Amino acid sequence: MNLSDKVAIVTGGGRGIGRAIALKLAEVGATVVVSDILEEEAEAVAGEIKTAGGQSLACPADVSQAADVARLVEATVEACGRIDILVNNAGVARDQLLLRMSEEDWDKVLDVDLKSVFLCTKAVLRHMLKKRWGRIISLSSIAGLAGNPGQANYSSAKAGIIGFTRTVAMEVGSHSVTVNAIAPGFIETDMTKKIKEEQRQQIKEHIPLDRFGTPRDVAEAVAFLASEEAGYITGQVLSVNGGMF
């Protein structure tokens, strides 16, 4: 894979899976715009890329807000001249059983996890359609495919990403823009570190590969879908879950 002439935006790129994706895309040559709501974390990842010899800039943004998304896209085009790849990775979780879930927690997760995908995709598409080339990759989840108790908001948002992906893929395919989703399973992140050891063992019993995934596992899949080699793949959901579902 060679993305040396491509410019990628990674939302939620300041840590965890987003950080791994940003580093991997830079590793295969892309210029990476690291966006995160936390400026320090975005700057840190952009710094890592530059230290390794890559090209990167940090652009903090709340991608659930249209004005911030517009500023992110404008800054990318101004600095890099183009946008070739968008990775919709930004997300939050506010878990609670449905009967205890507040409207605020429902709205927050839907805004950050799903509305941001709509806003960012719409904003970059104009640039991709003009060039007749683009890659849009959104992070769904095993929870969006199978559901998960206590995550009605998160599962709904991640399932929504799948429907959004398949629909937009149909709309823009004739312009050589591919739109795909990745559905990670249990990945070693700050979120999964909170799971008690007993629960971890119970989960592993349902994972044929007998381990949690790593952010790098997801990043490798993203890099493939962003490449020329994946040019005939669109409207798909790639599960990176060790065979769990």
Side-chain angles (χ1 to χ4, degrees), residues 28-51:
V28 293
T31 297
V32 182
V33 178
V34 183
S35 182
D36 199 281
I37 197 168
L38 299 175
E39 183 173 1
E40 289 183 4
E41 294 191 352
E43 291 282 2
V45 175
E48 282 187 74
I49 292 171
K50 293 175 185 176
T51 299

Side-chain angles (χ1 to χ4, degrees), residues 31-219:
T31 297
V32 182
V33 178
V34 183
S35 182
D36 199 281
I37 197 168
L38 299 175
E39 183 173 1
E40 289 183 4
E41 294 191 352
E43 291 282 2
V45 175
E48 282 187 74
I49 292 171
K50 293 175 185 176
T51 299
Q55 297 184 345
S56 182
L57 68 142
C59 188
D62 177 353
V63 288
S64 70
Q65 301 298 316
D68 271 23
V69 171
R71 181 172 51 79
L72 168 61
V73 170
E74 182 180 347
T76 300
V77 173
E78 182 177 342
C80 307
R82 57 193 293 167
I83 301 171
D84 303 290
I85 301 161
L86 169 66
V87 182
N88 289 307
N89 170 74
V92 297
R94 291 191 174 179
D95 299 349
Q96 186 60 268
L97 293 174
L98 181 63
L99 289 178
R100 299 175 182 172
M101 185 176 293
S102 69
E103 184 176 353
E104 178 186 359
D105 284 349
W106 173 272
D107 289 344
K108 181 66 174 180
V109 172
L110 268 290
D111 283 350
V112 176
D113 294 29
L114 181 58
K115 183 182 176 183
S116 68
V117 175
F118 158 71
L119 291 174
C120 292
T121 300
K122 183 177 179 181
V124 304
L125 266 180
R126 294 183 177 91
H127 299 278
M128 294 179 177
L129 294 178
K130 285 181 183 178
K131 296 188 292 81
R132 300 187 68 84
W133 198 98
R135 299 285 188 266
I136 296 168
I137 303 145
S138 301
L139 272 291
S140 179
S141 168
I142 191 171
L145 292 167
N148 196 35
Q151 290 191 316
N153 47 6
Y154 186 79
S155 297
S156 296
K158 295 302 184 179
I161 287 173
I162 293 172
F164 179 87
T165 294
R166 289 174 172 158
T167 299
V168 179
M170 294 176 184
E171 294 181 0
V172 302
S174 62
H175 291 77
S176 298
V177 176
T178 67
V179 188
N180 291 290
I182 291 177
F186 284 86
I187 307 297
E188 294 285 7
T189 63
D190 290 343
M191 186 182 301
T192 55
K193 285 178 183 176
K194 298 176 183 177
I195 300 174
K196 295 179 180 179
E197 185 58 32
E198 182 180 347
Q199 292 176 299
R200 290 172 68 90
Q201 292 305 317
Q202 290 174 349
I203 293 168
K204 282 184 181 181
E205 290 177 4
H206 298 283
I207 302 175
L209 290 185
D210 195 34
R211 68 173 177 89
F212 282 19
T214 67
R216 179 79 178 197
D217 290 326
V218 180

